[in-house]
Amino acid sequence: MGAALGIVLGVAGYLAAPVRYESTATVRVAPTGSAVLYETTDTGVVPRYEGRVRTQAALVKTAVDQALRDPELAKLPIAQGWGASERIIASLTTREVRGTELFTVVYEADDPDTAQTVVNALLRWVEKAYGDEQSEGRWKRYQQVRDHRDKRERDLEKARREQQDRVSRSEYAAIDLSQLLTVKAMRIEDLKHRLNDLELALTRIDNGGLDGETNDGMGMLEPRPGDLERLDPELATLHRECERQQIEVDSLAEMYHGEHAAYSLAKRSLERLKKLIAGREAAAREKWFALGGDLAGGAGELSREHLVNERRRLQELIHAEKQDFGRLTAEQIENNRIANELTRIEADLEDVNRRLEILKIESNPDLLAGRMEVEQWGNRPFAPSKDRRSVAAAAGFVGGLGLVIGVFFLLGIVRRPAYSAHQLRRSGGRYRFLGVLPQLSSRIDLESSDIAAQCVHQIRNQIESVHAPGSGFVLVVSSPYQGDGKTSTAIALAWSYASSSSKTLLVDCDLVGQSLTRQLNMTGRAGLKESLRSGRINGEVVPLPVQNLSVLPVGVEATFGSEALRKRDLDALFDSLRKDFDVIIVDTGPMPGSLEALPAAAAGDGVLLLVRRGRPRTRLEQCVDTLHSVHATCVGVVLNCAARVDCETYTSQSVPFAVVTDGEGGATQAGDTDQGLGNGPESSALVRAMEMRRSGAEGKHDDSDC
C-alpha cells in the first residue's frame, strides 16, 4: 500500500513540480568611441566605465513597460492584465560579466518560448532607445540580408539533397551521363548499319541474286555486337558493367586528377574487364564464322526467313535503345538543371556573405562610446534551468511510503494488533500465553495437519500443567471478537483431552451462534436449553464417534433464550457434569458482547481466550480485566492463525502419532472409530486437520507389523 501510494504521489509530484527555463542574451557596452575624422571627447574612454556598465544593465529593467508594447510579447498571457510588468521584473535578472564589456539579461519562465520572447522584446526596445536611426537602419538591412542568406542556404541544401536523391535513384549512380549517351548513340548507329546490311541482303534475295547461294558465293557477313551477344548472352551484362565502370573511372579522374589510390584501383578493374570482354568477343566471332554467319545453324545458308527474323530483332533493339536514350536524355537534362541551380545558388550565397561582411563593418558599435549593442540575442533554451520534477517525484514516493508506514505504526500503537507470539508473551503478567494455532487453508495436507495437532496438544499440556484433569475441570472457551476460531479450538482441545484418556464433554453454550452444534451436525437435538430448563441432565448428552468424547448440544427449546441464562443454573449443571466427566469444555459467544459468555466464565473453573492474528490486543486486555472483575480465572491466551515461524516454535521436526488407551487398558490409535468429527456441514479447517491427523496415524499404524 505504501509503494502504491508512493508511486501515485511520486507521479503527482513529478507532474506538479515547477519546470523553469532561462533565456540568456548578452549586451556589450562600448568603452571608447572610434574616431571618424579626429579625436573628440565623445570618442575617448568613458569615465567610471564599470559604473556605466552597471547603470546600463539596470536600465534594461526600466524598459519593461515599453517592451510590453512589443507585438510578440503582447500576445503572451504573462503580458496581459494588471501587474504584468511586476510579474516580468520578478523573473528578470541582469548580471555583469566581470573583467569584460558585457552584461547578460536572463529571464526565467515556465516554457522556453516565453522566456525567449520576453528577453528579445526587451533587447529590441533597448536597441531602439540607445541606438541612432542610422544604426537601426543598418541593423534592419543586416537582418534582411541575413534572412536572405538563411533562405539561400536552405535552397542550396534542398538542391543538394535533390541531386543526391537523383544519384541514388539512378541506375548508373552518376550525375553526368554524357559519356553514356555517347555510347548509346554509337550503339544505335551500329544497329542501324547492321539493319541496312540486312535490308540489302533481303533486296538481293528478292531480286533472285542470293536465293540458294551459299555464304561463299556472296561473302560472309561481318558479325555485329548484337550477333555476338546472342552467341554469348553474358556479353550484354559485361558491356553494361564496362559502361558503369568507365563512368566511375571518369568521375574519379575528375575528382582526384588521376592521383589517388581509388582511381588507380578502379582503372585496373576496368582494364581487366575490357580484356575479359575482348576474349569473350573473340570466342564468339570464331563461333560466328564456324556457323557461316547463320545463328540459327542453317549449315552455312543465309535463308530469307532468317534474315527477316534478324531484321525484326534489330528493329526491336533499335526501338528499345532509342527509348533508353530518350530516358537518359531527359535524366541528363534534369541533372543539368539541378547542377545549374546549385551553381547559381552558390554564386548568390557568396555575394550575400560578402554583403554581410560589409554590413558588419558598417555596423561597428564603437561609433559612440558607452552605447549598448546586443552581442547575442536571447536563445531558446532546450533544457530546463530548474527542474525539480525528479526531486518532487522522489519526495512524493518517499512521502507516500512514509505516510502509509507511519499510519501503520500509529495504528499499531493505538490498536496494538497481535501479529506474533512474542507480542502476547510480553503481557506484563496480566495473562498467561499458552501457544499458537496455525493458519490452515481449505486444502489441508498431512504435514499441516500434523503441525495443527502438535499445537493443540501443546496448548492442552500448558493447561494441564496448572489444572490437571480428573477432577471435573470446566474450561470455558471465548474470544474478544466474533470469528476468532473459538469453536474449532474447543473441538480440537476436546479431541486432544479425549486422546489422553480423559472423559471429555463438549458443551455448546453459544445460544445465538450455535456454531458447535452445527459443526458436529447436532441440529435438532435436545441439549443445554432443555437441561437448564429442567434443572437436570435427562439424556441430552450425546456420545461422539471418538472414544472418551461426548457433546451437549445447544438444544431446541425456542422459549429459552440467552437472556434466561443464570450463573446459578450453570453452577448446578456443571456440578452434575463433573461427576461423569474429567474435562468439560464450554463453547460460548465472544466477550463481552454475548450475554452467555460472562455467566459461563463465572461458573467455570477457567477461561481460555482465543485471539486471531491481526486483532487488536486492546479488547483482549479488556476481556482479561472483565474476568478478573468477576473473579473468574483466565487460564491463558492462544494466538490463532499464527505465522509458520511461530508454529515451528511449538512443534518438533519429527511429529509422533498420538496413542490413547481403550476402555480395557489396551493401546489404540486416537479416534479408532469408523467416523470422525470433520464431517459436519460447517466443520472448520482445524477440525478437518485433526481428523486428517487421526486418519494418517491410523494408516501408519495399519501398515506396521507391530
Side-chain angles (χ1 to χ4, degrees), residues 228-229 231-239 273-288:
L228 299 181
E229 289 177 1
L231 290 170
D232 189 354
E234 292 187 6
L235 278 174
T237 304
L238 293 174
H239 283 145
L273 182 59
K274 286 181 177 180
K275 290 180 180 180
L276 176 61
I277 292 174
R280 297 186 77 105
E281 284 181 345
R285 285 174 62 85
E286 292 179 1
K287 188 175 181 180
W288 166 268

Side-chain angles (χ1 to χ4, degrees), residues 456 477 485-498 504 506 515-520 544 549 551 585 587 677-678 682-684 686-688 690:
V456 172
V477 180
K486 54 185 176 7
T487 302
S488 302
T489 305
I491 297 174
L493 275 176
W495 202 334
S496 179
Y497 273 108
T504 307
L506 275 168
S515 177
L516 178 63
T517 301
R518 290 198 303 271
Q519 284 200 36
L520 297 181
L544 291 175
L549 184 58
V551 62
I585 299 178
D587 179 34
L677 299 183
E682 298 182 11
S683 60
S684 67
L686 181 59
V687 176
R688 284 184 279 115
M690 296 290 289

Side-chain angles (χ1 to χ4, degrees), residues 519-531:
Q519 284 200 36
L520 297 181
N521 202 14
M522 295 291 175
T523 305
R525 289 177 176 266
L528 179 65
K529 293 181 179 180
E530 287 76 12
S531 299

